[in-house]
Amino acid sequence: SPIFHTVCQHQTSVCLFSYGQTGSGKTFTMQGKGKEDFRGIIPRAVELVLQRLKVLQNSNWEFTINASFLEIYNEELRDLLTILAPPSKAGGKRRLSMGKKSAPKLAIKKSENGRTYVEGLTEILIDSHNTTKGLKQLDKVITAAARARSVAFNKLNSESSRSHSIFMLDLHGINHDLDEEVQGVLNLCDLAGSERLSRSGYGANDSQRVKETQAINKSLSSLGDVFTSLSNGSPHVPYRNSKLTYLLQDCLNGNGKSLMLMNLCPTVESAHESACSLRFARRVNQVELGKAVKQVNTSSSYCGGSVSGGRSIGGRSVGSRR
């Protein structure tokens, strides 16, 4: 819970990754299934955030929360919530009949204050005053995203994710008494599983699945290159080598916090993949980003995009857990 309180209390960019081979339970870890004990990290994290915001609201803070959900499929960004888009965004009609190919292209942009965001992504307002209502709104978001995500059957998983998915919770707070305005972003990333074609069962003739596998593995390799550069203290970090790292660079470049969860399959047949995952975890655990920076703007300067001051918070930013 401390890392989720960070996005509320310190208003910075936070990311949690779920990493592991195909079929190791990453999507279940993030989204869960049903209620209570089987809830995933996404609903639990949002509930913690809403509870924390209630405390801050007692100190005259007002918050607006928006949820978004996208996938990175073959290095293309896809909005998973077009079905929930308001009529004004869908050209007067809901996007119920729109297929993935007809959806508008999404692009990664930089805001005036240097934050990374996705232009044109559907945002769903989450009630920050009524926790019960807010969690019901979240349930609709998770359900819509799960139905829209790219999945396929293989020998390791009947519903293997063919893309990386990222749930984003954008928090915008204002306190007129303090004349401060802050913004934080929580990114919960379900990475597509690393896999070998020999184990997944996709043949060389299945060009679509082969292309997906190559894109997934290349993207995960790029993520590894970023962690290697960070651990070595390299002057250049290759964030732009993949959409995944470019989108999440605010969480990885020292201005935010990141945490990686490692998912392993407890079978002898998966020993090789498990060893590879653990070696990757060791690389990640060597990264020390230092102090994350809290960006606090005066209300008058926020509209202009300028930053009037920053406060730093300490703590290790990247780690891995088995």
Side-chain angles (χ1 to χ4, degrees):
S1 62
I3 196 170
F4 301 125
H5 285 165
T6 296
V7 74
C8 306
Q9 188 71 33
H10 301 294
Q11 298 299 308
T12 188
S13 297
V14 173
C15 182
L16 191 150
F17 296 95
S18 180
Y19 181 94
Q21 74 173 90
T22 298
S24 60
K26 299 181 300 300
T27 300
F28 180 78
T29 296
M30 281 297 178
Q31 298 183 15
K33 197 176 181 72
K35 305 293 183 181
E36 303 305 328
D37 292 343
F38 292 100
R39 292 189 306 158
I41 288 177
I42 293 176
R44 292 173 186 268
V46 174
E47 184 176 23
L48 283 172
V49 168
L50 291 175
Q51 291 172 351
R52 183 58 189 165
L53 292 187
K54 275 196 170 184
V55 176
L56 294 176
Q57 286 164 355
N58 293 331
S59 301
N60 295 324
W61 280 96
E62 286 294 327
F63 286 92
T64 302
I65 306 177
N66 288 288
S68 302
F69 222 135
L70 62 80
E71 70 174 355
I72 303 177
Y73 176 80
N74 286 349
E75 281 300 290
E76 288 186 4
L77 302 181
R78 290 181 172 180
D79 191 343
L80 296 179
L81 300 181
T82 54
I83 188 68
L84 302 180
S88 59
K89 186 175 179 180
K93 298 181 180 179
R94 287 192 173 274
R95 295 187 179 183
L96 181 62
S97 61
M98 290 181 67
K100 291 179 179 177
K101 291 184 178 179
S102 60
K105 274 196 168 186
L106 301 175
I108 301 172
K109 301 285 187 179
K110 285 280 190 180
S111 66
E112 291 182 354
N113 60 0
R115 284 183 175 269
T116 304
Y117 72 99
V118 179
E119 188 177 53
L121 190 63
T122 300
E123 294 184 324
I124 304 300
L125 184 67
I126 302 295
D127 195 314
S128 62
H129 296 278
N130 188 323
T131 301
T132 301
K133 183 178 179 181
L135 292 178
K136 286 183 178 179
Q137 294 167 331
L138 177 67
D139 283 341
K140 293 182 180 179
V141 168
I142 294 176
T143 300
R147 290 175 177 173
R149 191 175 179 187
S150 302
V151 297
F153 172 87
N154 66 28
K155 289 182 178 180
L156 299 174
N157 191 352
S158 61
E159 293 185 353
S160 174
S161 301
R162 312 310 299 161
S163 65
H164 308 304
S165 74
I166 306 175
F167 169 81
M168 291 177 282
L169 194 71
D170 186 89
L171 292 79
H172 175 240
I174 186 169
N175 189 316
H176 293 292
D177 293 341
L178 300 175
D179 191 31
E180 288 186 356
E181 197 159 356
V182 293
Q183 187 172 10
V185 182
L186 174 63
N187 301 280
L188 300 177
C189 183
D190 173 16
L191 296 171
S194 56
E195 62 183 37
R196 290 182 293 167
L197 291 174
S198 59
R199 290 207 65 205
S200 62
Y202 297 138
N205 294 329
D206 193 340
S207 58
Q208 180 180 353
R209 301 298 174 225
V210 170
K211 181 180 179 181
E212 291 170 350
T213 300
Q214 291 173 340
I216 291 169
N217 291 338
K218 181 180 178 181
S219 180
L220 293 175
S221 178
S222 296
L223 180 62
D225 291 341
V226 166
F227 285 131
T228 297
S229 296
L230 291 171
S231 63
N232 292 337
S234 301
H236 171 71
V237 181
Y239 293 116
R240 289 179 175 269
N241 285 2
S242 77
K243 295 287 179 63
L244 175 69
T245 52
Y246 187 44
L247 177 59
L248 299 177
Q249 62 180 301
D250 291 345
C251 308
L252 301 170
N253 63 10
N255 292 327
K257 282 181 173 287
S258 294
L259 178 71
M260 179 167 285
L261 299 178
M262 194 61 56
N263 293 70
L264 304 176
C265 287
T267 62
V268 174
E269 294 79 9
S270 300
H272 174 77
E273 284 82 0
S274 295
C276 290
S277 295
L278 291 173
R279 282 194 291 269
F280 186 84
R282 183 173 58 185
R283 291 167 62 190
V284 173
N285 206 39
Q286 293 173 345
V287 178
E288 183 74 44
L289 295 183
K291 293 182 178 181
V293 176
K294 174 183 177 181
Q295 299 294 339
V296 180
N297 309 312
T298 60
S299 298
S300 57
S301 67
Y302 186 86
C303 295
S306 62
V307 177
S308 60
R311 284 176 255 174
S312 62
I313 54 178
R316 190 177 180 101
S317 299
V318 176
S320 61
R321 292 180 181 176
R322 181 174 173 178

